[in-house]
């Protein structure tokens, strides 16, 4: 379905059988009473139940101030500090309890108790303070999966300085864009980290991001992964500060957490949209933290005695919400792993699960498909025992679901698919694990207090439960919702609200959040999310905008024009195919093909590399001058070409198909 089409499509999906949650799980679940849905039916007051999980310096006056939609203010008047809530307040009962269990790729371990976390967060907050960071300064982090990442986030939160973590796999240009957009004066990085057996030189990305001087950074704080600095790391005088030296000066320092307004910014998380620039989803403190704490407890069903492992990277929203803020807010033990799942062998994940006795495990369908492809023999040597398995990021195919259920869950764990987005802050569609039967391939029902609907292109609601696909929307705001896009309210309005809202109205009921996904709802009320309806792909659970890829590709000097379309991939979900038009007189060659692939690896990151590079003589343009990527997607996936009447020249797709397929 494309953005321009108003028709809905019928999604004919074979119905799947239900599986019951095991009684042993139900017996121990944090939520086993369906009355929760009624409590949250009291809108918006139901959400106070989540806010009550936190310690507030000042209680809120209003649960939701919706007087200026779609700029919503949750728990207005309330004050709190996120670092205090994730660390200090647990010291009374949990000082010695493990907060973070870190496994380095080479195999070393750190067990960080809440008491240690308190010390390390305070000391690093003192370092940040010593270089000038104060309340409301945006601190950019470019850190991999090392304990210093959650520590830095919590230290920022302690000072009331919003953080903006950029996934470590992003390269210099992507980092530079995000630094510039956030107007950040401070960057925190690390000399290197371990990945697939290599000790990578990571700081060089920060160096080259800052090289051309277009980003104005006063201070780069540099952590060290090993005792000695990475042999290739260079420190720039006057700009780079070695954290290890500074920490020595601040041993034992304690800084009072700054009391923040519920609506003060906690962090920015850049994500891909339909235009070239990444957009900074801005999350506040009170609503966000309430929502992730609540969903960690009720959906991930974490208890104080569990060892919980969200096998994701903190560089994306999943890790922010469900490795760091949610689990730590409720005093959990959260596992972090630095490296690759197949290093040094393909059983590494299960080895770690056994080693730490992990009982709740969260990952992506991409990872499940990969484990499935590797084969169950890699699991067999390990004695792990999960009671709860969850996934996020992409549609979960019933086949992969069954494999996960059988081989990872040993047919005795609950399997829960969760749908959400960077913008939603936390999970918004998913079954509460003890309250609903599982159905492979479905994300399940709305979370308590959440009101999804499916609309046709004209904005009319499609009959609930009819199995007809349309635009997935959320009709009422919830506490985890983004506040806006950083310094870009207009884009916030146009990306999420304009399409289906009455934008003249100041009644919040006339405003509808558009998720950019298509979905169907079956007769049992379960949703199934089909995929993005904008020019955004989902590569191995990572969101990638076509425009970002295309802007990188046209940097290759021989390239005149480029368009990117998603091709279905058995493991990664989708991979980008690049359609490239070369400049006049340039012959296609293997060198140019490699240049195209390399420029994407260099500008964005290896994870974004194109699958196929197709040299073509034209691209399909509409009369209004937009590239119709849908047609390229059909060619990439060997599907029949759909309607081409809006094209400038309707013979183009057939021509491209011939050029690509050579017949
Ligand atoms: C997009 C959001 C939120 C954490 C991970 C990704 C897709 C997410 C599911 C699911 C089908 C899913 C959607 C969504 N997506 N979860 N359970 N089933 N699709 O966050 O990078 O903001 O991407 O991921 O297309 O819009 P994100």
């Amino acid at each position: 379905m494309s953005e321009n089409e108003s028709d809905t499509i019928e999604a004919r999906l074979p119905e799947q059988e239900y599986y019951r949650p095991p009684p042993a799980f139900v017996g121990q679940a944090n939520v086993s009473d369906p009355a929760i849905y009624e409590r949250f039916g009291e809108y918006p007051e139901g959400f106070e139940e989540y806010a009550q999980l936190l310690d507030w310096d000042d209680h809120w006056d209003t649960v939701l101030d919706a007087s200026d939609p779609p700029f919503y203010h949750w728990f207005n008047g309330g004050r709190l500090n996120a670092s205090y809530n994730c660390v200090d307040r647990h010291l009374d009962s949990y000082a010695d309890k493990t907060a973070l269990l870190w496994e380095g790729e080479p195999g070393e371990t750190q067990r960080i108790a809440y008491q240690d976390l308190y010390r390390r967060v305070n000391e690093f907050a003192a370092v940040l303070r010593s270089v000038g960071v104060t309340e409301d300064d945006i601190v950019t982090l470019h850190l991999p999966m090392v304990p210093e990442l959650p520590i830095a986030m919590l230290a920022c939160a302690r000072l009331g300085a919003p953080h903006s973590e950029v996934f470590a796999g992003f390269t210099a240009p992507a980092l530079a864009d995000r630094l510039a957009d956030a107007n950040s004066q401070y960057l925190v990085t690390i000399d290197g980290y371990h990945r697939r057996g290599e000790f990578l030189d990571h700081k060089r990305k920060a160096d080259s991001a800052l090289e051309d001087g277009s980003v104005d950074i006063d201070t780069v704080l540099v952590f060290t992964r090993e005792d000695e600095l990475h042999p290739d790391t260079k420190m720039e005088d006057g700009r780079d500060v070695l954290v290890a030296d500074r920490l020595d000066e601040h041993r034992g320092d304690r800084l009072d957490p700054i009391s923040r307004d519920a609506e003060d910014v906690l962090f920015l998380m850049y994500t891909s949209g339909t235009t070239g620039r990444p957009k900074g989803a801005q999350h506040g403190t009170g609503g966000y933290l309430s929502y992730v704490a609540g969903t960690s407890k009720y959906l991930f069903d974490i208890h104080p005695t569990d060892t919980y492992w969200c096998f994701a990277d903190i560089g994306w929203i999943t890790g922010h919400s469900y490795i760091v803020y949610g689990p730590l807010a409720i005093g959990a033990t959260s596992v972090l792993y630095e490296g690759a799942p197949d290093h040094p062998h393909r059983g590494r994940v299960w080895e770690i699960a056994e080693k730490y006795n992990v009982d709740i495990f969260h990952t992506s369908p991409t990872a499940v498909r990969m484990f499935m492809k590797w084969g169950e023999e890699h699991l067999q040597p390990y004695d792990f025992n999960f009671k709860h398995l969850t996934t996020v990021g992409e549609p979960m195919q019933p086949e992969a679901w069954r494999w996960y259920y059988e081989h990872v869950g040993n047919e005795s764990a609950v399997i829960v698919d969760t749908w959400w987005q960077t913008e939603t802050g936390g999970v918004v569609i998913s079954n509460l694990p003890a309250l609903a039967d599982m159905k492979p391939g479905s994300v399940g029902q709305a979370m308590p207090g959440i009101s999804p609907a499916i609309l046709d292109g004209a904005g009319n609601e499609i009959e609930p439960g009819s199995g007809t696909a349309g635009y997935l929307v959320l009709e009422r705001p919830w506490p985890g919702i983004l506040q806006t896009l950083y310094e870009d309210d207009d884009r916030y309005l146009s990306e999420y609200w304009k399409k289906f809202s009455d934008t003249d109205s100041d009644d919040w009921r006339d405003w509808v959040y558009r998720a950019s996904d298509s979905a169907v709802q079956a007769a049992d009320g379960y949703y199934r999310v089909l995929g993005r309806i904008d020019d955004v792909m989902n590569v191995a659970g990572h969101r990638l905008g076509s425009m970002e890829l295309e802007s990188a590709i046209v940097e290759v000097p021989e390239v005149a024009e480029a368009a990117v379309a998603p091709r279905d991939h058995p493991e990664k979900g989708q991979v980008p195919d690049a359609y490239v038009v070369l400049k006049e007189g340039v012959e296609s060659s293997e060198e140019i093909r490699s240049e195209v692939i390399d420029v994407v690896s260099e500008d964005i990151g290896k994870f974004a590399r194109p699958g196929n590079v197709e040299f073509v003589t034209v691209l399909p343009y509409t009369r209004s001058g937009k590239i119709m990527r849908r047609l390229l997607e059909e060619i990439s996936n060997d599907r029949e070409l759909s309607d081409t009447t809006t094209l400038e020249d309707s013979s183009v797709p057939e021509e491209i198909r011939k050029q690509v397929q050579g017949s």
Side-chain angles (χ1 to χ4, degrees):
M1 192 163 71
S2 100
E3 197 72 288
N4 308 326
E5 282 166 78
S6 58
D7 312 351
T8 57
I9 49 165
E10 288 288 335
R12 290 179 217 288
L13 307 162
E15 268 301 305
Q16 299 286 325
E17 274 176 37
Y18 294 105
Y19 293 67
R20 289 238 102 122
F25 180 88
V26 176
Q28 59 85 63
N30 283 327
V31 181
S32 53
D33 179 358
I36 182 170
Y37 290 104
E38 280 152 47
R39 294 201 302 275
F40 279 75
E42 292 290 319
Y43 181 85
E45 289 76 18
F47 285 115
E48 286 183 295
E49 196 166 322
Y50 289 165
Q52 279 150 3
L53 295 171
L54 305 179
D55 280 4
W56 294 76
D57 304 331
D58 288 326
H59 196 273
W60 54 93
D61 307 318
T62 15
V63 179
L64 169 63
D65 171 0
S67 58
D68 180 25
F71 299 93
Y72 298 110
H73 307 289
W74 284 90
F75 308 116
N76 231 5
R79 297 190 73 81
L80 77 169
N81 180 282
S83 166
Y84 177 86
N85 272 281
C86 291
V87 188
D88 308 37
R89 68 168 180 147
H90 301 312
L91 295 180
D92 279 350
S93 15
Y94 290 148
D96 297 331
K97 181 185 164 172
T98 305
L100 297 171
L101 251 174
W102 176 74
E103 169 98 358
E105 196 189 70
E108 73 268 52
T109 297
Q110 282 185 33
R111 266 182 196 274
I112 303 174
Y114 275 95
Q115 183 65 46
D116 306 325
L117 188 61
Y118 173 74
R119 176 180 58 76
R120 292 176 68 174
V121 167
N122 271 283
E123 289 174 354
F124 187 61
V127 171
L128 287 171
R129 170 65 48 86
S130 78
V131 299
V133 175
T134 56
E135 210 174 338
D136 295 323
D137 287 340
I138 297 177
V139 179
T140 298
L141 313 175
H142 189 222
L143 291 170
M145 287 292 284
V146 290
E148 287 76 6
L149 173 50
I151 288 167
M153 290 162 66
L154 294 165
C156 288
R158 194 165 194 86
L159 298 176
H163 52 77
S164 169
E165 152 73 1
V166 178
F167 171 56
F170 275 123
T171 52
L175 173 62
D177 281 352
R178 287 157 178 76
L179 278 165
D181 191 87
N183 212 350
S184 188
Q185 316 278 290
Y186 302 95
L187 173 62
V188 181
T189 186
I190 191 165
D191 59 341
Y193 65 101
H194 295 272
R195 186 87 192 170
R196 291 221 160 78
E198 254 185 276
F199 185 32
L200 302 176
D201 171 9
H202 181 62
K203 178 170 179 283
R204 86 186 151 78
K205 296 184 189 172
D207 291 337
S208 75
L210 303 180
E211 207 159 62
D212 68 358
S214 60
V215 185
D216 171 32
I217 284 282
D218 301 336
T219 309
V220 180
L221 287 162
V222 185
F223 279 108
T224 25
R225 172 64 180 78
E226 306 282 338
D227 294 337
E228 299 284 313
L229 206 57
H230 189 289
D232 297 329
T233 298
K234 292 177 206 64
M235 298 290 285
E236 189 171 308
D237 268 357
R239 184 195 73 186
D240 297 350
V241 174
L242 208 54
V243 176
D245 293 347
R246 286 293 172 112
L247 279 174
D248 284 340
E249 295 163 21
H250 293 279
R251 291 274 166 247
D253 280 14
R254 299 290 178 260
L255 265 73
D256 284 341
I258 304 276
S259 192
R260 299 278 281 169
D261 196 289
E263 275 296 289
D264 282 338
V265 182
L266 181 60
F267 66 87
L268 304 181
M269 169 61 66
Y270 280 88
T271 186
S272 296
T274 48
T275 60
R277 281 178 311 133
K279 46 189 186 180
Q282 177 180 314
H283 283 287
T285 306
Y288 171 83
L289 198 64
S290 300
Y291 199 73
V292 297
T295 46
S296 293
K297 179 160 182 180
Y298 291 5
L299 173 64
F300 292 95
D301 197 51
I302 307 173
H303 301 67
T305 45
D306 291 320
T307 302
Y308 158 87
W309 183 10
C310 170
F311 180 46
D313 198 292
I314 299 176
W316 308 103
I317 191 76
T318 304
H320 275 49
S321 299
Y322 297 118
I323 298 178
V324 183
Y325 284 116
L328 297 181
I330 61 167
T333 298
S334 181
V335 175
L336 264 72
Y337 171 52
E338 174 182 40
D342 54 355
H343 191 84
H345 57 80
R346 290 179 165 179
R348 186 67 192 270
V349 167
W350 321 113
E351 182 182 59
I352 295 171
E354 177 190 283
K355 179 170 171 189
Y356 297 126
N357 223 343
V358 174
D359 55 358
I360 308 174
F361 182 72
H362 181 60
T363 191
S364 63
T366 291
V368 174
R369 290 190 294 264
M370 187 179 67
F371 298 139
M372 187 164 97
K373 188 183 137 213
W374 291 347
E376 42 276 14
E377 62 271 25
H378 298 287
L379 286 77
Q380 273 145 11
Y382 303 102
D383 181 18
F384 50 82
N385 188 6
F386 301 114
K387 61 175 175 174
H388 192 180
L389 296 169
T390 54
T391 58
V392 69
E394 308 145 74
M396 179 79 165
Q397 294 72 15
E399 190 201 353
W401 191 98
R402 282 194 199 90
W403 189 89
Y404 199 34
Y405 180 72
E406 205 175 306
H407 297 287
V408 183
N410 201 14
E411 299 187 12
S412 60
V414 186
I415 310 253
V416 171
D417 188 357
T418 68
W419 178 83
W420 56 297
Q421 308 178 295
T422 303
E423 294 85 347
T424 68
V427 178
V428 282
I429 302 182
S430 183
N431 283 334
L432 288 176
L435 291 185
D437 289 343
M438 310 173 242
K439 187 166 77 169
S442 285
V443 283
Q445 302 158 346
M447 287 287 287
I450 304 293
S451 51
I454 300 176
L455 308 184
D456 67 18
N460 302 311
E461 182 163 357
I462 290 175
E463 198 187 315
S466 63
T468 303
Y471 294 89
L472 179 59
V473 299
L474 300 170
E475 291 185 323
R476 291 190 302 216
W478 62 99
I481 189 173
L482 76 163
Q483 296 177 307
T484 186
L485 293 174
Y486 181 65
E487 293 199 326
D488 204 346
D489 289 347
D490 285 345
R491 197 167 170 208
Y492 170 66
L493 289 168
S494 62
E495 295 252 348
Y496 308 109
W497 302 97
K498 277 200 177 138
K499 187 165 173 84
F500 294 123
S501 305
D502 172 1
T503 50
D504 294 328
S505 172
D506 52 19
D507 183 342
W508 65 267
R509 290 170 196 84
D510 295 326
W511 289 78
V512 176
Y513 172 88
R514 183 191 66 144
S516 293
D517 277 336
S518 65
V520 293
Q521 191 189 26
D524 57 12
Y526 285 24
Y527 290 90
R528 179 165 178 155
V529 176
L530 305 172
R532 300 286 299 196
I533 45 174
D534 50 8
D535 289 323
V536 171
M537 276 162 258
N538 194 328
V539 179
H542 300 321
R543 207 204 278 193
L544 275 177
S546 318
M547 285 286 287
E548 283 164 273
L549 290 157
E550 290 159 6
S551 331
I553 295 169
V554 294
E555 280 174 30
V556 174
E558 294 86 352
V559 171
E561 286 178 286
V564 165
R567 178 162 47 86
D568 296 339
H569 187 275
E571 281 160 69
K572 294 179 176 171
Q574 298 183 319
V575 289
D577 274 356
Y579 289 81
V580 173
V581 179
L582 296 173
K583 287 187 180 150
E584 286 282 324
V586 178
E587 286 287 312
S588 63
S589 66
E590 281 313 305
E591 287 73 52
I592 302 179
R593 189 185 304 277
S594 326
E595 277 181 64
V596 167
I597 293 174
D598 291 349
V599 78
V600 174
S601 311
E602 290 289 318
D603 275 16
I604 302 172
K606 278 193 185 155
F607 66 94
R609 272 182 303 200
N612 296 331
V613 179
E614 307 287 5
F615 295 108
V616 294
T617 51
V618 276
L619 293 175
Y621 279 101
T622 62
R623 286 195 199 95
S624 57
K626 281 177 81 175
I627 298 175
M628 243 177 148
R629 298 186 182 82
R630 163 169 64 84
L631 295 167
L632 299 174
E633 183 178 345
E634 287 159 1
I635 294 170
S636 273
N637 292 291
D638 239 334
R639 284 201 288 267
E640 214 162 297
L641 293 175
S642 57
D643 184 25
T644 56
T645 47
T646 56
L647 284 187
E648 171 77 38
D649 175 353
S650 59
S651 67
V652 164
E654 223 11 87
E655 207 171 305
I656 297 176
R657 188 198 281 283
K658 279 195 202 126
Q659 291 172 8
V660 169
Q661 296 170 353
S663 59

